[in-house]
Amino acid sequence: MRVVTVPTDLLSAEDLEGHRRELTGYCYRMLGSGFEAEDAVQETMVRAWRAGDSFEGRSSFRSWLYRIATNVCIDMLRGRQRRARPMELGPSRPPVESSLHEVLPEGSWVSPIADDRVLPPEADPAEVALARDSIRLAFVAALQHLPPRQRAVLILCEVLRWQASEAAQLLETSVAAVNSALQRARATLTSAGISLADMAGQAAVDAGQGDLLARYVDAFERYDVDSLVNLLHEDAVQSMPPYAMWLSGGRDIVAWMLGPGSGCRGSRLIPVAANGGPAFGHYKPDPQTGELKPWAIQVIEISGDHVAAIHSFLEADLLFPTFGLPAHVPPPSRSGRSG
């Protein structure tokens, strides 16, 4: 790692802001929350600014910032329950209204983040592919199984490709300790069904998947459930944090859409990019006025030529501004109909 000394009397907001995107990605993987990642990075910037005189140039400026960010994240993780996906917190529920009665405790679920807040704008395609896969919901949720320092070691060495010696210096420990932590972290992820060796471009949307997504949007906006169910994987899941309820199988998802979820008829989906893959801003008709209003960020997972998961995050008022989505959109150009 190249050592760059930054004179403390020249430390500026631009020096710090140039690292915001990559630090946000690091903190997001550590914390499992886009909002908390933003808070952690802001705290990192404040601490760095205040401690500018203590930077002696014995490591790179980037490493120094990562050390501060790691300490901030570890502080934030003390005494907290781990974040997870609803599928990991309880059994699936039937597609009935009463399944909405249980709400997840605040801070218990992995929340989404916009790609443009964490992914490098210009980088080697292989690096971008790895970065995309390392912010997938499943991978970020798996990371939360790890103790904070193991989590930091795995992210630094496996995702950011730091040398063990660099990670050891950042964490103020030995190379042997880093390698041991890395081995334990890998074993934990393997037991959770996450293969680091397979993290290579899984989140990329190829031409075939682009066509699948176009058909998904068309079916959803027309509320053509016959067409929609044909696009869903047999074992597709749907989750709706902050509700504990999640649905298993295309039949239950469609039953929900035609039953308690029928208020989504006439919705519009605006494409965005989240967690390294396709996503949509879901605008739902207001039952009183019919006006389309922000409802959820849908993060879509694809397996083969079918939709494998629809994760709808309902904190629209908080999430939509972070994706640059407007507060209002016109209705779909075609009239909705049921299947």
Side-chain angles (χ1 to χ4, degrees), residues 63-313:
S63 295
W64 183 65
L65 288 178
Y66 267 88
R67 176 180 294 179
I68 297 173
T70 300
N71 290 333
V72 169
C73 289
I74 290 175
D75 287 345
M76 293 176 68
L77 288 167
R78 286 196 177 99
R80 295 193 182 185
Q81 63 182 345
R82 72 175 179 87
R83 289 180 177 268
R85 296 176 299 169
M87 296 83 74
E88 300 160 354
L89 297 173
S92 62
R93 308 295 175 89
V96 295
E97 187 75 31
S98 60
S99 292
L100 292 178
H101 290 173
E102 184 180 351
V103 177
L104 295 169
E106 182 67 29
S108 64
W109 65 91
V110 172
S111 67
I113 195 165
D115 282 7
D116 61 9
R117 290 182 175 263
V118 295
L119 295 180
E122 296 180 3
D124 178 84
E127 292 180 5
V128 173
L130 176 61
R132 288 184 182 278
D133 283 326
S134 68
I135 59 170
R136 288 184 296 127
L137 289 173
F139 183 71
V140 174
L143 287 174
Q144 309 311 301
H145 287 271
L146 304 175
R149 287 178 69 85
Q150 280 188 31
R151 200 179 306 178
V153 166
L154 185 125
I155 296 168
L156 291 170
C157 295
E158 293 286 1
V159 176
L160 302 179
R161 303 302 194 191
W162 287 33
Q163 297 296 319
S165 58
E166 296 169 342
Q169 183 180 16
L170 182 147
L171 295 170
E172 299 181 322
T173 189
S174 66
V175 172
V178 165
N179 287 331
S180 176
L182 188 57
Q183 184 176 9
R184 294 195 302 272
R186 287 169 175 160
T188 299
L189 290 190
T190 298
S191 67
I194 299 294
S195 171
L196 293 170
D198 293 339
M199 285 178 55
Q202 294 178 4
V205 178
D206 61 24
Q209 291 178 344
D211 177 67
L212 171 64
L213 290 168
R215 288 184 287 132
Y216 171 80
V217 171
D218 177 68
F220 194 97
E221 291 188 344
R222 290 190 295 110
Y223 228 65
D224 182 350
V225 296
D226 287 338
S227 295
L228 187 64
V229 74
N230 290 329
L231 302 177
L232 299 177
H233 195 278
E234 181 180 357
D235 299 324
V237 299
Q238 180 177 6
S239 66
M240 290 178 284
Y243 294 113
M245 181 193 79
W246 62 278
L247 304 171
S248 178
R251 289 179 179 272
D252 278 2
I253 293 173
V254 167
W256 177 265
M257 291 183 66
L258 291 176
S262 60
C264 288
R265 190 188 307 275
S267 292
R268 185 175 176 191
L269 302 181
I270 303 298
V272 292
N275 293 88
F280 299 97
H282 177 182
Y283 292 81
K284 176 183 173 183
D286 184 303
Q288 302 298 323
T289 66
E291 181 182 17
L292 291 180
K293 293 187 175 182
W295 173 247
I297 294 292
Q298 282 191 12
V299 179
I300 305 297
E301 295 178 10
I302 295 174
S303 177
D305 56 357
H306 287 83
V307 173
I310 306 169
H311 302 292
S312 295
F313 296 89

